[in-house]
Amino acid sequence: ALTAEILQQNPEYKSVSVKKIFPHDVQINLEKYPVAANIIDLIQGTDSLKIQKKYLVNTNGMIIMENDENPELPYITVNTEQAYNLNDFPLDQQKLDYIIKLTNLFEEKFGLKIVEANYLRKAREVHLRTEKGFTVWFDLTKDMLPQIDKLKKALPKLDIYKTPLQYIDLRITSANAEKVIYKRR
């Protein structure tokens, strides 16, 4: 009961263990969620002026540091109307996990570094911007593996390594065909 209460009041902790050490001591061990990603928040200001704020989030999706970044971690861009505060959750754990896994899988399968993932909340999409300057659009409501496989199947016709591209859209599916929509520069 005590551990559940500590976890409920302190969402930055992944686990809590309480151990009584006889005769008069208690040992409490707290394990924090690890840092998972950089969040770049583009805040819509007045007169279409955008303000950029940087945050670090843990694997639970909670902001643990403001005005800081770790270049070793993935970058996820979000657009909001007002800034987040420390301990806010800009992404739920499930979406954060999906975006990080998708970024890692894309880099592993195609050998291209992802510069940033742009999370579009209303559209339920993520756009991965590659080191080559083009973006790849994914549907967050669908499994990532079929979308990745669709791009792998299109590689013989669409050379993502040499063709100057603006974007590749993997979101479209139909009953009889897999569609890969793209735009050249």
Side-chain angles (χ1 to χ4, degrees):
L2 177 62
T3 58
E5 187 177 324
I6 292 171
L7 288 173
Q8 183 179 3
Q9 293 176 2
N10 302 283
E12 69 271 19
Y13 293 113
K14 185 177 184 177
S15 67
V16 176
S17 66
V18 179
K19 184 172 138 184
K20 181 161 172 97
I21 302 172
F22 287 100
H24 305 292
D25 294 328
V26 173
Q27 180 181 5
I28 300 175
N29 292 320
L30 303 168
E31 179 188 359
K32 285 189 173 187
Y33 285 99
V35 182
N38 298 286
I39 298 290
I40 307 296
D41 187 8
L42 300 175
I43 305 151
Q44 185 64 49
T46 57
D47 302 324
S48 65
L49 173 72
K50 286 196 175 185
I51 302 162
Q52 178 177 304
K53 287 203 66 168
K54 297 178 180 181
Y55 307 100
L56 285 172
V57 293
N58 63 19
T59 54
N60 196 29
M62 187 175 92
I63 294 174
I64 55 172
M65 292 188 81
E66 293 180 287
N67 303 316
D68 201 1
E69 64 183 299
N70 181 343
E72 300 296 314
L73 297 173
Y75 283 86
I76 301 170
T77 304
V78 295
N79 292 292
T80 61
E81 293 182 15
Q82 63 184 43
Y84 289 108
N85 296 309
L86 207 56
N87 301 333
D88 281 350
F89 290 83
L91 291 165
D92 65 48
Q93 188 176 13
Q94 182 181 5
K95 285 185 182 61
L96 177 65
D97 189 47
Y98 185 101
I99 293 169
I100 291 171
K101 283 180 180 172
L102 178 63
T103 299
N104 292 335
L105 183 64
F106 187 92
E107 289 180 345
E108 175 189 314
K109 297 283 184 190
F110 300 104
L112 289 175
K113 176 100 174 97
I114 297 300
V115 177
E116 74 176 349
N118 186 9
Y119 170 60
L120 304 168
R121 185 182 314 274
K122 287 182 183 173
R124 298 183 313 228
E125 299 174 9
V126 64
H127 296 182
L128 300 182
R129 188 164 53 92
T130 69
E131 64 186 337
K132 296 277 188 185
F134 66 87
T135 57
V136 184
W137 301 356
F138 290 88
D139 186 335
L140 281 173
T141 64
K142 296 180 180 157
D143 185 12
M144 69 180 80
L145 290 175
Q147 294 177 82
I148 290 280
D149 288 342
K150 189 187 326 183
L151 182 55
K152 281 172 51 179
K153 289 176 189 171
L155 281 180
K157 292 181 183 175
L158 176 65
D159 185 354
I160 65 173
Y161 305 102
K162 294 180 183 163
T163 307
L165 297 167
Q166 188 171 341
Y167 69 84
I168 300 172
D169 187 347
L170 302 174
R171 302 167 303 150
I172 312 301
T173 56
S174 65
N176 5 342
E178 293 290 331
K179 292 187 180 185
V180 175
I181 299 169
Y182 64 93
K183 181 177 181 184
R184 293 179 187 263
R185 286 195 194 274

